[in-house]
Amino acid sequence: ALEQELGAGAGGGGRRGVLLLWRDSPSLRLPLLNAAAMMVGQQLSGINAVFYYSTTFFSSAGLDSPVAGTLLASAVNVLAMLASSAMMECAGRRRLLLVGIGGMFLSSVGVTAALIGKARASAHHEDDWSLNWLSVSFVLCFVIAFELGPGPIPWQIGAEIFPEHARAAAMSAAAALNWVCNAAVGLGFPAMSSALGSLVFLPFAAVLLLWLLFTARFTPETRGRSVDEIQVEFRRLAALGSRKPARAEGDGVPLSSIRQPQG
């Protein structure tokens, strides 16, 4: 049945839209949800808020040269990306993704704690340089964690979880969703920063936590597996999520088979 469903699109000829894939191919629904979750999580994690507004952030952190802070973040980004490329085949996609998301979550919590400390120090007209450097350090850890997994791996996994007939439509829709979320963060971050102040990273932390839980539960390892093997694993994960509770004792037993008490 799985082989027939996977081959239906190829046999029908041509590429199929993502809505038709969702409607006609139940086995592709969890892969589609995975692709969407990875693209939304990648952009709503807050990474582009850091890159787009890094100069403003480093200036508020008290750095004498905010541009130097931006260059440092970019250099860290490149080095972490090179490390991720070397580790992806030996450590596996899923593990690096989980480590990266978890690292970003912890870093965002750390940035929030440092910003709250800075706000309290400013209210007392104090300037704590340790908090300034702590906030910068957590941002750099945030960038490193992003490039270890959440940066490159969603595109890698996305290309591996779909059969050939569905890959183009699914990844096109995922890329469009990625850019929509990118624009939302880029345009909305200044207003969000003004409204939330030192708590501005908390929404990103919430997204990262949800993404971490989803990945741990529904994203399989794809390294060294064929598309058919990955689809079988997706079916297993979907079955675990929809497993019905065991019937109570006596459920479904014909009434005629129940022994009546003797008078």
Side-chain angles (χ1 to χ4, degrees):
L2 176 60
E3 290 78 4
Q4 291 176 353
E5 186 174 327
L6 292 178
R15 297 174 180 173
R16 308 178 67 192
V18 68
L19 294 180
L20 289 178
L21 290 175
W22 179 272
R23 187 193 69 184
D24 298 336
S25 302
S27 67
L28 294 180
R29 290 174 185 171
L30 189 53
L32 287 169
L33 285 176
N34 265 268
M38 287 188 290
M39 296 307 167
V40 171
Q42 183 189 71
Q43 293 303 321
L44 298 191
S45 67
I47 188 63
N48 281 322
V50 172
F51 284 125
Y52 291 162
Y53 301 99
S54 58
T55 303
T56 302
F57 176 82
F58 289 129
S59 177
S60 64
L63 290 185
D64 294 331
S65 178
V67 175
T70 301
L71 293 175
L72 178 60
S74 299
V76 166
N77 182 45
V78 172
L79 293 175
M81 181 176 60
L82 293 175
S84 175
S85 300
M87 296 169 60
M88 196 178 298
E89 290 303 325
C90 59
R93 287 86 156 112
R94 184 177 184 272
R95 181 178 301 173
L96 281 180
L97 189 59
L98 288 170
V99 169
I101 298 171
M104 291 183 75
F105 171 73
L106 295 177
S107 298
S108 62
V109 172
V111 170
T112 300
L115 292 177
I116 291 174
K118 280 174 55 63
R120 290 179 177 176
S122 299
H124 293 86
H125 305 286
E126 300 173 354
D127 189 12
D128 191 339
W129 276 95
S130 64
L131 289 174
N132 292 341
W133 283 105
L134 191 62
S135 61
V136 171
S137 298
F138 276 123
V139 167
L140 294 180
C141 290
F142 189 83
V143 172
I144 291 172
F146 175 79
E147 285 301 342
L148 283 179
I153 289 180
W155 300 102
Q156 180 77 20
I157 290 182
E160 294 174 338
I161 60 177
F162 295 105
E164 184 176 355
H165 75 271
R167 190 173 299 134
M171 291 308 296
S172 295
L177 181 60
N178 184 281
W179 280 107
V180 168
C181 294
N182 186 325
V185 171
L187 297 175
F189 183 74
M192 190 169 71
S193 180
S194 299
L196 298 179
S198 58
L199 302 178
V200 68
F201 272 82
L202 280 186
F204 300 141
V207 170
L208 287 164
L209 180 59
L210 292 175
W211 188 16
L212 181 66
L213 295 175
F214 181 91
T215 301
R217 175 64 182 79
F218 291 113
T219 302
E221 177 57 63
T222 61
R223 181 190 60 170
R225 290 183 172 182
S226 67
V227 173
D228 288 347
E229 291 172 335
I230 294 170
Q231 289 298 315
V232 169
E233 180 65 12
F234 271 126
R235 293 186 70 178
R236 185 187 70 82
L237 292 172
L240 287 176
S242 61
R243 180 175 293 175
K244 296 181 180 180
R247 294 187 306 179
E249 185 176 355
D251 286 355
V253 179
L255 293 177
S256 59
S257 66
I258 300 178
R259 181 177 298 176
Q260 300 295 325
Q262 299 297 323

